[in-house]
Amino acid sequence: MSSMSRARAARRIAAGAAYGGGGIGLVGAAAVGLLVAEVQLAKRHVGNGHSPHPPSADGLYGWGSPRSSAAESGGGHSALGEPPLRLVMLGDSTAAGQGVHRSRQTPGALLASGLAAVAERPVELRVVALPGAQSDDLDRQVALTLAVQDRIPDICVIMIGANDVTHRMPPTRSVRYLSAAVRRLRTAGAEVVVGTCPDLGTIEPVQQPLRWLARRASRQLAAAQTIGVVEQGGRTVSLGDLLGPEFEANPRELFGPDNYHPSAEGYATAAMAVLPTVCAALGLWPAEEERPDASRREGFLPVARAAAEAADEAGTEVAAAMPTGPRGPWALLKRRRRRRLPTPEAAPTTAPEPSV
C-alpha cells in the first residue's frame, strides 16, 4: 500500500473513531480470520518454560551515588531539591516488558533511566500496563494512573495496538479508545507519548501471504492511531523497530525465546526510539534538534500524510504543529537521531530484582 493510500485509509478510520463509525475494516474478514489463526499458533509457543508475568519495574531510577543523601532528605526529592519526575507506562505486554527476566531490561526501566540521565534528576516509574490488553483496557489503566489527585504523572508512555489487530477489534473502536485515553491524560496535565502498533508481519511463525496482511493491518492501525493521538495533543513514535525491520533481519538477536515478545536488546532498541520524544515532550531535548532538518526529510505535513510516512519508517515522531487548515490538521514529522541508552544504575529502589 502506498503512503498516500495509507493516509486516506488512516483518515477514514480516524474520522470513524471521532464521529461514531465502526465498520471500517483493515483487511477482509476471511483474511483476518486466517491471520488470527496463524498468530494464535505463534503465540502458543510463548513462554517456553519462562514466567508469563513481566518483572516488576516500579520504583525510583537515576539516584546513583547521591541515593543515600537523597533518601536521608526524605526520599521524595533529589539532592538538588527537585522532586522526581513521574513516568507511567500504559498499554499491553510490550509496555509491561513481558519476555525478559529482569526489571532493568523492561522498556519502562530503560526509559526511566534514560530520562533520569537527561533530566539529571530521579524518575519515579509506575507500570499499569497489562499483558494481553487491548485498547478498551486503557480506560481502566488511565483511572489507575489518575487515581491520586496530587500525583499526576509528568509523562505517560502508551504502547498498544497489537492485540487489537490479533483480536479483530474494529480499528475505529481501537482509535476511539486510545484517543479518549490521551484526552483524559492531557486534560489532567500529563504529557503523552504513544508507541503505535508494532509491525506484526515479522512474527517468525507467520508465513506469507499472511505476513503481508499482518504488516498492512499493523501499519494502517499505526497511522490511524497517530491521527487520533496528535489531535488530542499527544505525540507518537512509530514502533516498527519493536517487531519491524531490525527484528526481521536479526530474529535470533532481537526476539526473545518465544519468538513473539522482544528480547532485552529488542526492548532497548524500542526504548531508544521512544526516549528522544519523551524528553522533547518534557522540554529536555536540545533546542537545535527541535528544528526540522530538511536533509532528513523532516518538516510540516498534513497530519494524515505525516501519520502514513511515520508508519512506514520506525522511530519517526509525529507531533501537532499548526491549527487546522483547508487540508486538515498539520503535524511536525521528526526522524530523531538515536542515542545509546544508559544502563539502569540499579534495580528500582522499591522493587527487588526478580530471581532467575
Side-chain angles (χ1 to χ4, degrees):
M1 177 181 284
S2 70
S3 178
M4 292 304 295
S5 297
R6 185 171 292 116
R8 287 192 294 270
R11 194 182 297 112
R12 289 197 301 272
I13 293 169
Y19 299 110
I24 301 174
L26 291 170
V27 291
V32 170
L34 289 172
L35 169 60
V36 170
E38 288 230 1
V39 169
Q40 294 302 326
L41 179 63
K43 290 177 72 174
R44 288 197 186 113
H45 299 290
V46 170
N48 286 348
H50 302 285
S51 171
H53 304 292
S56 174
D58 288 9
L60 288 164
Y61 290 80
W63 291 71
S65 57
R67 177 180 298 182
S68 59
S69 61
E72 289 169 1
S73 69
H77 293 71
S78 70
L80 297 177
E82 294 180 291
L85 289 168
R86 295 191 180 110
L87 165 65
V88 177
M89 299 291 296
L90 304 91
D92 55 24
S93 59
T94 55
Q98 186 170 0
V100 296
H101 287 299
R102 302 183 183 279
S103 58
R104 65 172 178 262
Q105 298 170 326
T106 62
L110 291 164
L111 285 171
S113 298
L115 178 57
V118 173
E120 298 183 339
R121 57 191 284 196
V123 172
E124 179 184 336
L125 171 66
R126 185 183 180 201
V127 180
V128 299
L130 178 68
Q134 300 174 52
S135 291
D136 56 2
D137 190 56
L138 288 175
D139 182 66
R140 181 191 65 83
Q141 295 183 28
V142 170
L144 287 174
T145 300
L146 303 179
V148 182
Q149 185 70 31
D150 61 350
R151 293 185 64 82
I152 302 300
D154 296 286
I155 183 83
C156 294
V157 175
I158 304 174
M159 296 180 179
I160 200 80
N163 295 318
D164 295 5
V165 174
T166 61
H167 288 76
R168 291 182 280 185
M169 178 182 288
T172 48
R173 283 185 58 205
S174 176
V175 173
R176 190 179 303 132
Y177 288 129
L178 177 59
S179 298
V182 174
R183 181 168 58 251
R184 287 178 64 191
L185 293 170
R186 293 291 292 128
T187 299
E191 297 292 338
V192 181
V193 173
V194 174
T196 54
C197 182
D199 185 350
L200 295 176
T202 51
I203 299 174
E204 273 200 318
V206 177
Q207 303 300 318
Q208 296 289 14
L210 298 183
R211 184 174 291 227
W212 177 85
L213 291 171
R215 172 165 290 134
R216 180 186 177 194
S218 302
R219 293 187 177 184
Q220 266 192 14
L221 179 56
Q225 286 177 319
T226 292
I227 295 175
V229 169
V230 168
E231 288 180 346
Q232 298 303 326
R235 304 182 185 216
T236 64
V237 180
S238 168
L239 283 189
D241 274 351
L242 192 57
L243 294 171
E246 294 181 27
F247 286 74
E248 190 170 35
N250 304 289
R252 293 292 175 259
E253 180 181 0
L254 291 172
F255 273 119
D258 58 26
N259 291 327
Y260 188 81
H261 292 100
S263 65
E265 187 167 350
Y267 278 127
T269 300
M272 278 193 293
V274 174
L275 178 61
T277 300
V278 167
C279 294
L282 293 170
L284 298 172
W285 212 237
E288 63 271 15
E289 293 193 21
E290 291 305 288
R291 292 187 290 271
D293 184 345
S295 68
R296 292 167 56 82
R297 294 177 292 118
E298 298 179 345
F300 299 98
L301 297 169
V303 66
R305 184 177 161 195
E309 289 200 15
D312 284 338
E313 184 174 340
T316 303
E317 174 191 324
V318 179
M322 298 180 181
T324 300
R327 297 169 64 186
W330 283 66
L332 173 61
L333 184 143
K334 292 281 293 178
R335 294 176 170 89
R336 294 191 181 276
R337 296 174 179 85
R338 297 183 182 182
R339 298 181 175 185
R340 187 171 182 82
L341 282 172
T343 301
E345 296 173 3
T349 58
T350 59
E353 187 67 53
S355 58
V356 178

